[in-house]
mmCIF file with all atom_site columns, all heavy atoms in Angstrom:
data_model
loop_
_atom_site.group_PDB
_atom_site.id
_atom_site.type_symbol
_atom_site.label_atom_id
_atom_site.label_alt_id
_atom_site.label_comp_id
_atom_site.label_asym_id
_atom_site.label_entity_id
_atom_site.label_seq_id
_atom_site.pdbx_PDB_ins_code
_atom_site.Cartn_x
_atom_site.Cartn_y
_atom_site.Cartn_z
_atom_site.occupancy
_atom_site.B_iso_or_equiv
_atom_site.pdbx_formal_charge
_atom_site.auth_seq_id
_atom_site.auth_comp_id
_atom_site.auth_asym_id
_atom_site.auth_atom_id
_atom_site.pdbx_PDB_model_num
ATOM   1  N N   . LEU A 1 84  ? 169.216 91.249 113.745 1.00 0.00 ? 84  LEU A N   1
ATOM   2  C CA  . LEU A 1 84  ? 168.645 91.912 112.578 1.00 0.00 ? 84  LEU A CA  1
ATOM   3  C C   . LEU A 1 84  ? 167.344 92.544 113.016 1.00 0.00 ? 84  LEU A C   1
ATOM   4  O O   . LEU A 1 84  ? 166.435 91.838 113.483 1.00 0.00 ? 84  LEU A O   1
ATOM   5  C CB  . LEU A 1 84  ? 168.399 90.908 111.454 1.00 0.00 ? 84  LEU A CB  1
ATOM   6  C CG  . LEU A 1 84  ? 169.611 90.395 110.687 1.00 0.00 ? 84  LEU A CG  1
ATOM   7  C CD1 . LEU A 1 84  ? 170.470 91.572 110.205 1.00 0.00 ? 84  LEU A CD1 1
ATOM   8  C CD2 . LEU A 1 84  ? 170.437 89.409 111.473 1.00 0.00 ? 84  LEU A CD2 1
ATOM   9  N N   . SER A 1 85  ? 167.234 93.852 112.878 1.00 0.00 ? 85  SER A N   1
ATOM   10 C CA  . SER A 1 85  ? 166.068 94.565 113.398 1.00 0.00 ? 85  SER A CA  1
ATOM   11 C C   . SER A 1 85  ? 165.880 95.882 112.677 1.00 0.00 ? 85  SER A C   1
ATOM   12 O O   . SER A 1 85  ? 166.852 96.556 112.322 1.00 0.00 ? 85  SER A O   1
ATOM   13 C CB  . SER A 1 85  ? 166.277 94.833 114.897 1.00 0.00 ? 85  SER A CB  1
ATOM   14 O OG  . SER A 1 85  ? 165.487 95.898 115.325 1.00 0.00 ? 85  SER A OG  1
ATOM   15 N N   . GLY A 1 110 ? 164.740 87.790 114.449 1.00 0.00 ? 110 GLY A N   1
ATOM   16 C CA  . GLY A 1 110 ? 163.508 87.892 115.233 1.00 0.00 ? 110 GLY A CA  1
ATOM   17 C C   . GLY A 1 110 ? 162.308 87.579 114.362 1.00 0.00 ? 110 GLY A C   1
ATOM   18 O O   . GLY A 1 110 ? 162.341 87.697 113.139 1.00 0.00 ? 110 GLY A O   1
ATOM   19 N N   . SER A 1 129 ? 170.097 96.936 110.598 1.00 0.00 ? 129 SER A N   1
ATOM   20 C CA  . SER A 1 129 ? 168.922 97.008 109.721 1.00 0.00 ? 129 SER A CA  1
ATOM   21 C C   . SER A 1 129 ? 169.366 97.106 108.275 1.00 0.00 ? 129 SER A C   1
ATOM   22 O O   . SER A 1 129 ? 170.246 97.886 107.955 1.00 0.00 ? 129 SER A O   1
ATOM   23 C CB  . SER A 1 129 ? 168.075 98.239 110.068 1.00 0.00 ? 129 SER A CB  1
ATOM   24 O OG  . SER A 1 129 ? 167.121 98.483 109.055 1.00 0.00 ? 129 SER A OG  1
ATOM   25 N N   . ILE A 1 130 ? 168.740 96.323 107.404 1.00 0.00 ? 130 ILE A N   1
ATOM   26 C CA  . ILE A 1 130 ? 169.103 96.406 105.986 1.00 0.00 ? 130 ILE A CA  1
ATOM   27 C C   . ILE A 1 130 ? 168.349 97.516 105.259 1.00 0.00 ? 130 ILE A C   1
ATOM   28 O O   . ILE A 1 130 ? 168.561 97.738 104.076 1.00 0.00 ? 130 ILE A O   1
ATOM   29 C CB  . ILE A 1 130 ? 168.942 95.058 105.250 1.00 0.00 ? 130 ILE A CB  1
ATOM   30 C CG1 . ILE A 1 130 ? 167.468 94.610 105.244 1.00 0.00 ? 130 ILE A CG1 1
ATOM   31 C CG2 . ILE A 1 130 ? 169.837 93.987 105.865 1.00 0.00 ? 130 ILE A CG2 1
ATOM   32 C CD1 . ILE A 1 130 ? 167.182 93.555 104.172 1.00 0.00 ? 130 ILE A CD1 1
ATOM   33 N N   . GLY A 1 131 ? 167.472 98.228 105.933 1.00 0.00 ? 131 GLY A N   1
ATOM   34 C CA  . GLY A 1 131 ? 166.752 99.318 105.279 1.00 0.00 ? 131 GLY A CA  1
ATOM   35 C C   . GLY A 1 131 ? 165.521 99.701 106.076 1.00 0.00 ? 131 GLY A C   1
ATOM   36 O O   . GLY A 1 131 ? 165.111 98.981 106.973 1.00 0.00 ? 131 GLY A O   1
ATOM   37 N N   . PHE A 1 133 ? 162.360 99.439 106.280 1.00 0.00 ? 133 PHE A N   1
ATOM   38 C CA  . PHE A 1 133 ? 161.127 98.719 106.010 1.00 0.00 ? 133 PHE A CA  1
ATOM   39 C C   . PHE A 1 133 ? 161.050 97.541 106.964 1.00 0.00 ? 133 PHE A C   1
ATOM   40 O O   . PHE A 1 133 ? 162.057 97.135 107.549 1.00 0.00 ? 133 PHE A O   1
ATOM   41 C CB  . PHE A 1 133 ? 161.072 98.227 104.555 1.00 0.00 ? 133 PHE A CB  1
ATOM   42 C CG  . PHE A 1 133 ? 162.390 97.664 104.075 1.00 0.00 ? 133 PHE A CG  1
ATOM   43 C CD1 . PHE A 1 133 ? 162.742 96.359 104.393 1.00 0.00 ? 133 PHE A CD1 1
ATOM   44 C CD2 . PHE A 1 133 ? 163.266 98.443 103.335 1.00 0.00 ? 133 PHE A CD2 1
ATOM   45 C CE1 . PHE A 1 133 ? 163.954 95.825 103.955 1.00 0.00 ? 133 PHE A CE1 1
ATOM   46 C CE2 . PHE A 1 133 ? 164.481 97.920 102.918 1.00 0.00 ? 133 PHE A CE2 1
ATOM   47 C CZ  . PHE A 1 133 ? 164.824 96.628 103.222 1.00 0.00 ? 133 PHE A CZ  1
ATOM   48 N N   . LEU A 1 135 ? 160.105 93.591 107.720 1.00 0.00 ? 135 LEU A N   1
ATOM   49 C CA  . LEU A 1 135 ? 159.954 92.250 107.166 1.00 0.00 ? 135 LEU A CA  1
ATOM   50 C C   . LEU A 1 135 ? 159.213 91.378 108.182 1.00 0.00 ? 135 LEU A C   1
ATOM   51 O O   . LEU A 1 135 ? 159.166 91.713 109.366 1.00 0.00 ? 135 LEU A O   1
ATOM   52 C CB  . LEU A 1 135 ? 161.328 91.644 106.890 1.00 0.00 ? 135 LEU A CB  1
ATOM   53 C CG  . LEU A 1 135 ? 162.226 92.432 105.930 1.00 0.00 ? 135 LEU A CG  1
ATOM   54 C CD1 . LEU A 1 135 ? 163.669 91.945 105.987 1.00 0.00 ? 135 LEU A CD1 1
ATOM   55 C CD2 . LEU A 1 135 ? 161.682 92.352 104.518 1.00 0.00 ? 135 LEU A CD2 1
ATOM   56 N N   . GLY A 1 137 ? 160.203 88.684 109.249 1.00 0.00 ? 137 GLY A N   1
ATOM   57 C CA  . GLY A 1 137 ? 161.210 88.092 110.120 1.00 0.00 ? 137 GLY A CA  1
ATOM   58 C C   . GLY A 1 137 ? 162.580 88.568 109.720 1.00 0.00 ? 137 GLY A C   1
ATOM   59 O O   . GLY A 1 137 ? 162.742 89.142 108.639 1.00 0.00 ? 137 GLY A O   1
HETATM 60 C C1  . LIG B 2 .   ? 160.883 93.480 114.953 1.00 0.00 ? 1   LIG B C1  1
HETATM 61 C C2  . LIG B 2 .   ? 164.935 93.327 110.153 1.00 0.00 ? 1   LIG B C2  1
HETATM 62 C C3  . LIG B 2 .   ? 160.857 92.771 113.766 1.00 0.00 ? 1   LIG B C3  1
HETATM 63 C C4  . LIG B 2 .   ? 161.930 93.331 115.839 1.00 0.00 ? 1   LIG B C4  1
HETATM 64 C C5  . LIG B 2 .   ? 164.015 92.498 110.774 1.00 0.00 ? 1   LIG B C5  1
HETATM 65 C C6  . LIG B 2 .   ? 162.909 91.727 114.346 1.00 0.00 ? 1   LIG B C6  1
HETATM 66 C C7  . LIG B 2 .   ? 163.148 94.382 109.000 1.00 0.00 ? 1   LIG B C7  1
HETATM 67 C C8  . LIG B 2 .   ? 164.499 94.283 109.254 1.00 0.00 ? 1   LIG B C8  1
HETATM 68 C C9  . LIG B 2 .   ? 161.872 91.874 113.452 1.00 0.00 ? 1   LIG B C9  1
HETATM 69 C C10 . LIG B 2 .   ? 162.935 92.446 115.525 1.00 0.00 ? 1   LIG B C10 1
HETATM 70 C C11 . LIG B 2 .   ? 162.665 92.667 110.481 1.00 0.00 ? 1   LIG B C11 1
HETATM 71 C C12 . LIG B 2 .   ? 165.472 95.191 108.569 1.00 0.00 ? 1   LIG B C12 1
HETATM 72 C C13 . LIG B 2 .   ? 161.860 91.104 112.198 1.00 0.00 ? 1   LIG B C13 1
HETATM 73 N N1  . LIG B 2 .   ? 162.288 93.588 109.587 1.00 0.00 ? 1   LIG B N1  1
HETATM 74 N N2  . LIG B 2 .   ? 165.006 96.325 108.060 1.00 0.00 ? 1   LIG B N2  1
HETATM 75 N N3  . LIG B 2 .   ? 161.673 91.938 111.056 1.00 0.00 ? 1   LIG B N3  1
HETATM 76 O O1  . LIG B 2 .   ? 166.647 94.903 108.540 1.00 0.00 ? 1   LIG B O1  1
HETATM 77 O O2  . LIG B 2 .   ? 163.959 92.260 116.388 1.00 0.00 ? 1   LIG B O2  1
#
Side-chain angles (χ1 to χ4, degrees):
L84 285 310
S85 157
S129 167
I130 63 162
F133 42 81
L135 302 166

